[in-house]
Amino acid sequence: VEIEYWQYIFDARITAMDQLIENFETANPDITVKQSTFPYADYRTKVAAAIPAGQGPDVVQLFYGWLNDYVEADLIQPLPEDRFPAEQIEADFFPMVRAMKIDGAYMALPTAVRSLALFYNKRMFKNAGFEAPPANLDELVEMAAAMTQKDGAGNITAEGFTSGMTAQDHHWLREVLLRQFGGVPYSDDNKTVTYNNAAGVAALQFYTDLEQKHGVTKSTFMDEPQAAFKAGRAAMHIDGSFRIGALKDTRGLDWGVAELPAGPDGSKSNYASYWVNAITSKAEGEKYDASVKFMEYITSDEAMQIWLDTVGELPAKPSAAMTEANLADPVFGPFVAGLNYAQTTVFVDESGQRQVLVDAVSRMFLEGQSAEDALAAAATAEQAILDGYYNK
Amino acid sequence: MSFYRNLSIRQKQVVWAWAFLALPILFYTVIRFYPTLNAVILSFQSWNLLGPREWVGAENYIKLWHDPVFWKVFRNTFVYLILGTPISLVLSFVIAYQLDKTRLLHGTLRALYFLPFLTSTVAMAWVWRWFYQPVPIGLFNNFLASLGFAQISFLNSTTNALPAILLPAIWAGLGFQIIIFMAGLRAIPTSYYEAARIDGVSGWTIMSEITLPLLKPTIVFLVVFSSIGFLRIFDQVFNMTTNNPGGPLDSTKPLVLMIYQTAFSSFDMGYAAAQTVVLFGILLVVSLLQLRILKDKP
Amino acid sequence: MRKPAKGPRDPYAVLRWTLLAMGAIVMVMPIVYMLSASIKYPFEMYDLNIIPKEPTFENYTYVLSDGRFLRWFGNSLLIATLTTISAVFFDALVGYALCKFTFRGRTFVFIAILSTLMIPTEMLVIPWYLMSKSLGWLDSYWGIMFPGIMTAFGTFLMKQFFETVPDDFLEAARIDGLNEFQIWWSVALPLVAPALSALAIFVFLGNWTAFLWPLIVTNSQDLYTLPVGLTTFSVEQAVEWELIMTGAALATIPTLIVFLIFQRYIIRGVAMAGLKG
Amino acid sequence: MATVTLHNLVKAYGKAEVLHGINLEVADGEFVVFVGPSGCGKSTTLRMIAGLEDVTGGEVQIDGRTVNHLEPKDRDIAMVFQNYAIYPHMSVRKNIGFGLRTSKLSKPEREKRIEEVAAMLSMTDYLDRKPAQLSGGQRQRVAIGRAMVRDPAVFLFDEPLSNLDAQLRSQMRLEIKKLHQRVGTTIIFVTHDQVEAMTMADRIVIMKDGHIQQIGTPAEVFHQPANIFVAQFIGAPSMNLMPGRAVSGGVEVGGTVIARETDHSGELTIGIRPDDLHVTEGEGRFAGRITLLEPLGSETLAYVDIGGQEVVARADGRNPPALGSMVQLAVDPENLHLFGADGVAIK
Amino acid sequence: MATVTLHNLVKAYGKAEVLHGINLEVADGEFVVFVGPSGCGKSTTLRMIAGLEDVTGGEVQIDGRTVNHLEPKDRDIAMVFQNYAIYPHMSVRKNIGFGLRTSKLSKPEREKRIEEVAAMLSMTDYLDRKPAQLSGGQRQRVAIGRAMVRDPAVFLFDEPLSNLDAQLRSQMRLEIKKLHQRVGTTIIFVTHDQVEAMTMADRIVIMKDGHIQQIGTPAEVFHQPANIFVAQFIGAPSMNLMPGRAVSGGVEVGGTVIARETDHSGELTIGIRPDDLHVTEGEGRFAGRITLLEPLGSETLAYVDIGGQEVVARADGRNPPALGSMVQLAVDPENLHLFGADGVAIK
Ligand SMILES: Nc1ncnc2c1ncn2[C@@H]1O[C@H](COP(=O)(O)OP(=O)(O)OP(=O)(O)O)[C@@H](O)[C@H]1O
Ligand SMILES: Nc1ncnc2c1ncn2[C@@H]1O[C@H](COP(=O)(O)OP(=O)(O)OP(=O)(O)O)[C@@H](O)[C@H]1O
Ligand SMILES: [Mg+2]
Ligand SMILES: [Mg+2]
C-alpha cells in the first residue's frame, strides 16, 4: 500500500523526511510513502485547495495554527486513542502540544518544535569589545547602540539590532516582550485580547523606541532582517531555529546564538511554534492503518533526533530535547533552553493577526500615532478577528 | 447532407458559424461563465473552502460596504487607473512619436523599449524593490545620498509606495503601447503632414488637429486595454510588497490583491467572491464609459 | 507601413536621438541588473555595481545542476507551446467566425467573450480545481493547460486582424470549391500570418509566466512549470534572490532570443492590431 | 460552355429590394457586359449567378438547370475579382493551381494544366514569383489564370480592370477579348466603365437602380439608346441633350428647326453626340462661342455656348478653332436622338 | 501669380540620382503638366518645387527668387495631393479653412473667404459634411478648395484625379481647366495619364527616367513628337510603329514604298497614328486581315494583321468591317512619323 505525505519545500526537511521514510519502509516493507513538496509561500493555498477536494495526501504537515479549520471541516481524522493515548502524549510531549487536543481527542502531533533565540555577529561583538551577548533588554539597547554604524547623513549602514514586524518580531512582541513587561496577550480561553493596557503599551513603546528613540535599527534596512544579518550588516537578530541552516552556509559570517534577553524584571519568555502531522479524512482502510503506523514512527524519539540532526529543529518531547548534549550545544542549546519557558499563540487567522500588529507599528512610524492609540486600535481589530471566528 | 445542400447561403453561413463556435462556446461556458456564475452565487454565501457553503444573503456585500479597508482599496484601485493610464499613454505616445522620426538605429531602439514587455513580472518586481531600498543597498537612495540629499522612503511610505509600485507596471507595459502607437502613426498618410507643412501650420496644431484625432482608434484601443490592466493590477503590487502585501497600511493594496488575500489568506471565499463581483462591475462600467466617451464624440 | 517619416532638415535630430537612447538605456536597466545579479555571489548581491567584482556562474551551475530545473524548463516550454498553438488556433477560429460570418447572436457572443477579461483568474482557480478533480485532470499537463487554450484578448485581436482581410479572397476560394473551414485554414490564416505571430508571442509570454493555476493543479514536482519551480528557491521567511534571479534570467533569455530573431515579424503583427482599433 | 438565364431575378437585403426582376438570356459562348453606375446592382446580379448571394426571388439557370441552391463550386463557373483576390502568400503557380484543389486530376496532370494556362497568359516565366513581385497587369493575369485553370463553363468578372491604370487597362481589355475569342467560354463581365463595355461586349446590359435599361450590341446601345439614361451613359464625351419641341416639318431645338419627322408632338429632349456635332467652316445648324477646348491630338473637343446652353462638339485636331471665337456647328438630322418627356427614345 | 524656373535641378536619394538636371521655365499664369510613366521623377520634381524635398543640385526659383532653402509655407504655393489629403475628422468647412490658420485674416473674413471658395467649387451645400459623406469628386473639390483658399501664386497638383473613376475624372478635368481660366494662377500639374495632359495643359513636359523628353504644347507633342518615347506615350491608342527604310523616292514600310522625302538614309522606324490609318473601301497602302474590333461607338478600332505585324487602324463606327475580313488601309504620307535608329524624330 502506498500513502502520500505532503510538506513544504525546504531542503533539509525534505532530506530528513526522505531518511525517515527510508527507515520506515525498511521496517514496514509492505508500505511505501510518497513524499510531495510544495513551495513554502503557497503551501497553505495548495493544501486548502487539495484536501477538501479529496485530492491531497494521507498524512499532511500543517502549521499548528491552521488545524482548527481542518478539524471543523472534518478533513482531519482524530488519532486513534488506542495507539496515541492522551495521557501518554501529555506526559511525553511539551505542554504546548495540548492545543492539538480537540473535543478530547488528539488530532495531530509534531515531530519538532521551534523557538526563538538571539543570533549575534561575533566579529562585530569583538570589534566593539563585547564578550557576551546581552542578558536583558537594557543591555540589548546599550550594546546595539554601540554597534550601530551611520554615515555622514545619519543613514544607518550597519544595525546594532535588526527589526521587522513582518518577520519574527510580532511573535517576540506578542509572546515575549508583552509578558516581560507584565502583560498577557490573550485570556485563558484565547477568545479575548488582553494586551490593551499599560504593560502592552510599555512593550510596544520599547519595541518602537529601538528605532525611533535609540536609532539602533531600521525596520526597512536591507529589506529583510535576516538579509541584513546574513550580509554581516547587523550585530544582533532575533529569529527562529529554522534559520540555522541558511546561516550555516554563509561565507565569511561568524555568528553565535544566545537566549532571548530577559525582561526588566528578569523574566524570560519565548515563543514556540511547530508544524504538526495529521491524517486526512482521505485515508481509509489499509491506507489509514499505514498512515497510523507512519504517524507513530515520525513522532518517535528516533525520528525526532534525526530531524534535529538534519533540520536543526528541536524535538517535541522534553525527553528527546532536554538532553545534556542538546543543552550544551552552542547552537541548539539556547533554543532548547528557550522551550522551557516558551508560549504558543493560538491563532485563528495567523496572517490577519500578524497584520494587526504590523499595522500598529506602521501607524506609529508612518503616521506618528502614539503607542496607546496604536495598541488600542490593534486590540480592537484583533478582537474583531477573534470574534468573527469564535462566534460563528 | 441533402438537408445542408438545401439551405440558403445565409443559413449555411449560420451553420458554419456555429460549427466554428461550438467548441469555443462550450469552453467559455464551462471554463469561464460557469465559474463566474459560481462566484456570483458564492458572493451570497459563506465558505472557508474547507467546510460546507452556507447562504448568508447580502451579508458579504454589507460587510464590504462597511469595511474601511475596502474603501481604501477601492480608492487605490482608481488611483492606479487614474495615474497609470494617462501617464503610460502620454509617455508611450511621446516616445513613439519621437521614435517614429528617428532613423539611426531605429530598430534597435524600438527593440530596447520593447524588451521590458518580455520579462517576468516577479523577477522585475524584485529588481525594482531592490532599487527602492534605503541606503546602503538601494540604487536610488544611494544615488541621492552620494549627492548629499536626504533619502526618500519609497516603499515604506503611505504616500510614495503606490507611485513607486506603479512605475514598474508602467515600465513593463510601455513597450507594447509604443509599438501600437507607432503603428497608428505609420498608418497616417504622409501627405496629411505635407499638406499641413505647405499650409504652414505650427507643430502643435498639427499634433492636436491632425495626429491625435487620426490616432483615435489606436487611443481608444490602448485606453480601454490599459485601463483594464491597471484596474486588475496585482502581480507588481504583490511581488513588490511581499513582506507586507498591499502595505504599508494598505496604502498600495488594489482590489485584486484584496480578493487574493481574502480568498487565500483568510479563506473567506464568499467575501472574496463579493469583491470579485464588485470588481467586475467596476471594470464593466469603466470600459463601457470609455468606449462611449471616446467613440461617440466626433 | 511606410518607412520612418523623414523631413528634409531636422534641427532637433541629435537631441531627440540622445534622449531616446538614454530612455532606452533606462528601460533596459532593470534587465541588466537582473542579469548582473545572476552572476553574483550572495555576499555581493546588495552591491550596486553592474559588473560583479567576483563574477561567478555558480548560480547557474547550481540551478542547472538541479535536474529538476531542466525538467521544469521543458514543462514550461511544452505547456506554453501547446497552449499557444491551441490559443492561436481557437482565437483565430472564433475571431474569424465573429468577423466574417453574419448570424444572429454574433454581437452577443463577442461581448460575452470579451466580458471574461473582467474576471480576475484568481477567483476562478477554485472552481477550476473542483472541476479538474471531477474530470480527473489534476496533476496532468492537460490540467495545467486547459484554462488557457482559448483567450478573450486573442479573440478580440484576431477579430481586428481579420477585418483587414478583404472578403474577395474568401469568396474566390468559395468559388474554387473550398469549404468554410478550408477557406479559413488555407486562405484567411496565411493572410494574417504576422498577426498570428504577434498573438503567439503574447499567449506564449502569458503562459510562460503563469503561476497560480499551475501551482494549484500540480502535485508532483515533475509537472511543475518554471515559475512554480522557481518559487521553491524561496523558503520560509526568506528568499534566495541570487537563485531566483538566475532562474528568471534563464527563463527570460529564451523569450529574448525568440523576440530578437522574429522582431520584425512580431512588431509587424503587433502593428496590425493598431490599424483598425 | 453554357448558357446563363436569369428569370425575374429579385434581390432584397432585408426590406430593401435592390434588384427588381432581372431577365436575361446569355447564349453559349457569348461575352456579355453589365454596365451601369455605382450601386445599380451589377455586382449583386453577378454574385447571385456565382452563388455567393442568396436568390430572393426568381431563378438563375446555368445550361438550362436551375442552380438557385447549388454551391458555387457545383455551378461550373469561375470568377475574377476587382482586387484580383490572388493570395499574397502563394507563388503564381500555387495561386493558379488553387482552382484545381478540388479537382480529381493527378499531380502531373495538374502541373501540366497550370503550365498550359500560364503559357496562354504568357506568365510561364513568372510561375515561381510571389504576387508582390508582379506588376498590376501580371497580377490580374494570375487571377484570370486561376479562373481559367478549371476550364469552367462560365467566366464571371467583377470590374477586374478598375484597379489598373489607363494604359494597362486598355491592354488587359484586349487580352481578355482575345482570350475569349480563343477559348470561347461564356463570359459575364461587370464594369462601370462604358468604354470597356463597348469594346469588349458581344452584348451590353445597361442597368440602373436595379432595373435593366437596355440590352443590345455595342452598336445598338450607342446608336439606338433606349432612353436618355443609356444615351448619356454610353459614349464619351456624353451626348449633348437639349430641350426641344416637335413642330411641323421637324423638331425645334436651340432656335432652329431641323427637318426630322416624328410621330411625337410637344416637348422633346433632343440628343446629339459630340461626334455628330462638327465645328464647320461653312453654314451650320447652330452658332455659338467656344468656351473651352480640349485637344485630344487627332481631334479637339470644343465646348460651345449656344444661347446659354453648353454643348460639346468635335473640331479638327490639327487646326482647332480659337478659344472664344464664334463658330458654326453642323449636324446631320439623321443623327438626332429624340426622347419623350418620360425619357424614352422616340423612333 | 508667379513664374517658376527650374535650373539644372538634380535630385539624388543617397547615391541614386533620380533627376538628372531638369530645366524648365513656367510662365506666369501658365498651366504646365508633367507627364511620364511611373517612377520617372514627376512627383519628385513637384515636391522639390513645393519644398517638401531637399534640392540636391540646381535651383528652384519662384517669381525670380531662389527658394531652395525656403520652408514650403514661405513659397506662396499650394498643393493638391493624389489621395486628397483632406482630413477625415474635419468638416468641409474646417478642411478648407485649414489653409487659413496661419493667415492674418479676422474670423469673419475667413468665413467669407471659405464661403467664396466653396461657392466657386459649388460646394456651399456641403460645407458642414464630413469627407466620408462626400463622393470622390466632391472630396477632390475640397482638396482644391483648401489649396485655393490661400490664394497662392502657384498651384501644384500631384495626380489629383487618379483615384477617380473615368466619368468623374473627365468631369473634374474640365472643372480644373475652367478654374484655371477663371483665377489664372500658375499651375503645375503632375499626371501619368496622357489624356489629362493633352486636354488640360498649356504646355506639356514629358519625362522619362529623370530626363525631360520634350516640352511643348499639346499639339506640338502630338503632332511633332521629339522621339519614339513621346510618340508612343502621347495619344491613345498608341502610335503604330513599323520598321522601315529610307529608299529613293520615299520610305519603304510593310512592303510598300510611300512617297515621303527625307534626308535620312537607311533603317528607320515609321510611326503612324491609328487615327491616321483608315480602313478604306478603295485602294489603300496596306492590306491586312482584321483580328479584333473595338467598337467605340462613333468609330471602331480595327486591329489589323499586315504581314505578321499588328497595327491599329480607325474604321467607321456605324458600319464597321467584319472581323476576319481582308481590308485596305489608307494613310496620308504627310502623317508618317519618321524616327532614326536612336529613336529621335527625323524632320
Ligand atoms: N450586403 C448588403 N447589404 C445591404 N445592401 C447591400 C449589400 N450589398 C449591396 N447592397 C446594396 O445593393 C445595391 C447594389 O449593390 P452592388 O454592389 O450590386 O452595386 P454595383 O452595381 O456592383 O456597384 P459598384 O459599381 O459600386 O460595384 C447597392 O445599393 C448597395 O448599397
Ligand atoms: N524616398 C525615396 N527614397 C529613394 N528613392 C526614391 C524615394 N522617393 C522616390 N524615389 C525614387 O525616385 C524615382 C522617382 O520617383 P517619383 O515618385 O518622383 O516618380 P513619379 O514619376 O511621381 O511616379 P508615379 O507616377 O509612380 O507617382 C523613382 O525611381 C523612385 O523609386
Ligand atoms: Mg460592384
Ligand atoms: Mg508620383
Side-chain angles (χ1 to χ4, degrees), chain C residues 110-122:
Chain C
F110 181 58
I111 300 274
I113 289 178
L114 265 196
S115 72
T116 63
L117 277 176
M118 318 212 163
I119 296 284
T121 37
E122 286 77 16

Side-chain angles (χ1 to χ4, degrees), chain C residues 168-169 171-172 175-176 190-191, chain D residues 47 83 86 88-89 146 150:
Chain C
D168 285 4
F169 283 116
E171 294 187 334
I175 286 180
D176 284 338
L191 288 173
Chain D
R47 292 162 54 79
N83 67 0
I86 55 174
H89 57 289
R146 195 177 63 195
R150 282 168 50 211

Side-chain angles (χ1 to χ4, degrees), chain A residues 6 8-11 36-40 42 45-46 49-50 53 55 114 166-168 222 226-227 243 251, chain C residues 41 43 46 54 62 126 129-130 133 138 211 215-219 221 224 228 231-232 234-238:
Chain A
W6 278 19
Y8 64 85
I9 293 175
F10 188 93
D11 281 344
S36 296
T37 55
F38 303 93
Y40 174 78
D42 311 282
T45 309
K46 176 75 209 176
Q55 269 307 300
R114 61 249 306 249
T166 55
Q168 298 296 311
M222 289 190 77
Q226 60 90 15
R243 183 71 55 213
R251 273 214 294 181
Chain C
Y41 282 109
F43 63 85
Y46 296 103
E54 273 184 69
Y62 178 81
I126 297 300
Y129 189 86
L130 298 175
K133 186 206 144 208
L138 287 180
F211 173 71
L215 168 80
I216 303 273
V217 77
T218 50
N219 285 354
Q221 291 207 5
Y224 278 7
V228 179
T231 56
T232 63
S234 75
V235 296
E236 209 173 347
Q237 298 290 350

Side-chain angles (χ1 to χ4, degrees), chain D residues 13 18 37-44 159 192:
Chain D
Y13 288 108
V18 298
S38 189
C40 69
K42 308 177 294 290
S43 297
T44 306
E159 309 207 15
H192 59 253

Side-chain angles (χ1 to χ4, degrees), chain B residues 10, chain C residues 102, chain D residues 11-14 16-19 34-47 53 82 158-159 190-193 207 209-210, chain E residues 165:
Chain B
R10 186 152 288 248
Chain C
T102 37
Chain D
K11 176 72 191 178
Y13 288 108
E17 197 174 282
V18 298
L19 284 181
F34 283 43
V35 71
S38 189
C40 69
K42 308 177 294 290
S43 297
T44 306
T45 312
L46 197 75
R47 292 162 54 79
E53 296 275 355
Q82 174 169 358
D158 193 357
E159 309 207 15
V190 160
T191 177
H192 59 253
D193 179 358
M207 293 180 67
D209 295 343
Chain E
D165 71 20

